[in-house]
Amino acid sequence: MKAYLAALLFLSLPSLAHADVFAFKDLEGFEKCMTTDHLVEGVKTDKGSQTRLLDEVEIQMRCIESAVKVLTPIKKKDTDLEFIVAAKRLTAHENAVDLVGVLADHAVVGCNEMPAYSTLTKALSHPKETGKNSLFSRTKVVVKRCLKDTQFRTDFLEEKDSSDSYLAANACDILLEEKLVKSCKGDK
């Protein structure tokens, strides 16, 4: 019986995805990466190595990290937007914040494109978290870069009055910090 189970496990190994899924170079590879639902990763330890199974969310976040590395040297707004649209289709919209950050670096006017703008507002529609790597902190950094664009700034100023209380409060905090407003609704 043990031999049968070992043989079955051995035969199933080729069908498991491996870490090279993150080594994509284009949108097609990114989409394949984002739709990977399981991944076996080898990890070196003090006593040798072990394997572990990554979950779908962890895989998607690593795919986005890899996409940032792929997009950074390309410097093409349209390519950045294609990756953002694909990410929003394949995962929670707010997971694409780092891709919007790449877009902001390449073409700040792209921040006001609907896929990018809605990613940022969706990310700000959550309770504020603390910590440098929190969703709020990462989004705030990107929004501040996007505020250099006049149209984005004009549109984002309206978010402080949003009916979404989290979005309104988070937008207000950013706008106050940037000294673009003196107060927001609910301030005393």
Side-chain angles (χ1 to χ4, degrees):
M1 184 66 159
K2 286 183 182 180
Y4 175 74
L5 290 174
L8 184 62
L9 179 63
F10 180 75
L11 291 173
S12 68
L13 285 178
S15 67
L16 294 175
H18 294 281
D20 62 352
V21 73
F22 301 118
F24 56 84
K25 302 285 185 221
D26 57 19
L27 182 61
E28 184 179 330
F30 175 64
E31 289 175 334
K32 181 179 179 183
C33 184
M34 292 292 288
T35 57
T36 301
D37 61 358
H38 62 275
L39 182 77
V40 175
E41 177 182 59
V43 179
K44 292 184 181 184
T45 65
D46 293 339
K47 297 179 182 180
S49 66
Q50 65 183 35
T51 57
R52 69 183 193 104
L53 189 63
L54 302 180
D55 67 30
E56 190 172 5
V57 173
E58 188 174 4
I59 294 167
Q60 289 178 340
M61 296 312 292
R62 287 195 189 181
C63 294
I64 290 171
E65 287 174 20
S66 294
V68 167
K69 292 174 186 169
V70 167
L71 293 171
T72 297
I74 295 174
K75 298 183 181 182
K76 290 186 179 176
K77 175 184 143 190
D78 291 340
T79 304
D80 297 343
L81 285 167
E82 288 172 354
F83 274 72
I84 293 166
V85 168
K88 288 177 64 172
R89 187 177 73 250
L90 299 168
T91 188
H93 294 196
E94 53 272 28
N95 290 343
V97 165
D98 295 334
L99 296 174
V100 178
V102 172
L103 173 66
D105 290 341
H106 294 163
V108 73
V109 297
C111 292
N112 214 45
E113 297 279 344
M114 190 51 70
Y117 191 89
S118 63
T119 296
L120 296 175
T121 56
K122 180 71 173 172
L124 292 173
S125 295
H126 295 281
K128 190 184 310 180
E129 307 159 335
T130 58
K132 181 182 171 191
N133 291 320
S134 71
L135 178 60
F136 175 75
S137 295
R138 292 184 358 257
T139 305
K140 180 170 76 168
V141 168
V142 175
V143 168
K144 285 182 174 188
R145 291 196 313 252
C146 290
L147 286 168
K148 294 175 185 170
D149 177 65
T150 305
Q151 188 59 52
F152 179 89
R153 185 173 47 253
T154 300
D155 291 341
F156 193 75
L157 280 163
E158 296 175 11
E159 300 303 344
K160 69 179 175 33
D161 299 320
S162 173
S163 61
D164 178 325
S165 62
Y166 291 121
L167 175 57
N170 290 332
C172 182
D173 286 349
I174 295 168
L175 293 168
L176 285 168
E177 202 171 295
E178 291 297 297
K179 297 179 176 32
L180 294 172
V181 296
K182 293 182 181 182
S183 66
C184 298
K185 72 178 180 181
D187 288 348
K188 294 182 181 180

